[in-house]
Amino acid sequence: MDIPFEPIVFGIKVNIHLVLEYAAFFIGFRYYVYLKKNTQDLISSGNRLSIIIGAVFGAFFGSRWVGFLENPVFSFTPEYLLQVLNAKTIMGGLFGGLLGVEIAKKIINEKHSSGDLFTFPIILGIIVGRVGCFLAGINEFTYGKITTSFLGMDLGDGVLRYPLALFEIVFLIVLWIFLKHFLKKNVLESGRLFQYFMISYFSFRFIIEFLKPNVFLIFGLSSIQYLCILCLIYYQKTIRKLFYAR
């Protein structure tokens, strides 16, 4: 199989990344619905819907804003504006969704933590989406720097690069297994599961960004890495509790 993987179906070239991106949303949401049916939810259906709406709008604007900050070049041509609208990143989506949820909860005066039920559906959705990123090769900016190590792969431009999408898939599978095992052994305070996921994922992304050929850096760090730092500061109380518990 060649990468980028662009299958021809009925004479039409299929954008497999776009297909899997939409599949990620659908599969993740269906898994969330399944978990909700089998979980005693302390949040009412109406409030849960408001929280989901807050998450969707926050994720949309957050993903676009951080996507733009990855390469903030200003222009007012129609082509550039379309590119800005299409620019998006899961990191901005996650943090923007988090802020959207918190704002929605403030508006509806919901006090219960709402993230735990979303944790595994989000992980599943990211995994499906990253499969699409990997198959897209260099057509998506999820590839790594050129390397001569055994980890390098030809992602479509004839040179060996770090397959960062594959690294992320492996990390998320390991994180899923770890969190499932951790849940069986421990009784977690409401909201902790989602917080542990965010701390783990954003810490991983901070590290792996050093393997990405970013062109816009401030003091040697990318916009994604600054977002990771912001997220870890946001959860600094939880991080301190983790260290104190030891």
Side-chain angles (χ1 to χ4, degrees), residues 62-99:
S63 65
R64 264 62 184 183
W65 177 243
V66 178
F68 164 74
L69 290 179
E70 282 196 282
N71 189 20
V73 179
F74 292 91
S75 174
F76 295 99
T77 64
E79 295 79 8
Y80 176 76
L81 294 176
L82 181 62
Q83 182 181 345
V84 169
L85 289 174
N86 288 329
K88 53 188 180 294
T89 170
I90 184 62
M91 304 299 288
L94 283 173
F95 197 73
L98 171 65
L99 297 181

Side-chain angles (χ1 to χ4, degrees), residues 161-180:
R161 295 179 178 276
Y162 289 111
L164 299 188
L166 282 187
F167 294 171
E168 192 168 328
I169 291 169
V170 172
F171 170 79
L172 288 169
I173 291 173
V174 172
L175 180 61
W176 181 309
I177 295 171
F178 173 79
L179 290 177
K180 283 287 189 180

Side-chain angles (χ1 to χ4, degrees), residues 29-131:
F29 180 73
R30 293 311 305 171
Y31 187 41
Y32 160 78
V33 171
Y34 167 77
L35 291 179
K36 191 175 186 304
K37 287 181 179 179
N38 294 275
T39 304
Q40 184 178 2
D41 194 358
L42 297 176
I43 299 176
S44 67
S45 297
N47 281 5
R48 178 65 73 176
L49 179 59
S50 298
I51 289 170
I52 292 175
I53 292 173
V56 169
F57 277 96
F60 177 83
F61 289 109
S63 65
R64 264 62 184 183
W65 177 243
V66 178
F68 164 74
L69 290 179
E70 282 196 282
N71 189 20
V73 179
F74 292 91
S75 174
F76 295 99
T77 64
E79 295 79 8
Y80 176 76
L81 294 176
L82 181 62
Q83 182 181 345
V84 169
L85 289 174
N86 288 329
K88 53 188 180 294
T89 170
I90 184 62
M91 304 299 288
L94 283 173
F95 197 73
L98 171 65
L99 297 181
V101 165
E102 293 304 320
I103 292 172
K105 287 171 66 176
K106 288 288 185 182
I107 294 174
I108 63 178
N109 197 30
E110 177 59 62
K111 303 299 183 182
H112 293 100
S113 297
S114 58
D116 288 349
L117 201 55
F118 293 112
T119 301
F120 291 111
I122 287 175
I123 295 176
L124 179 58
I126 297 175
I127 290 174
V128 174
R130 285 306 184 220
V131 171

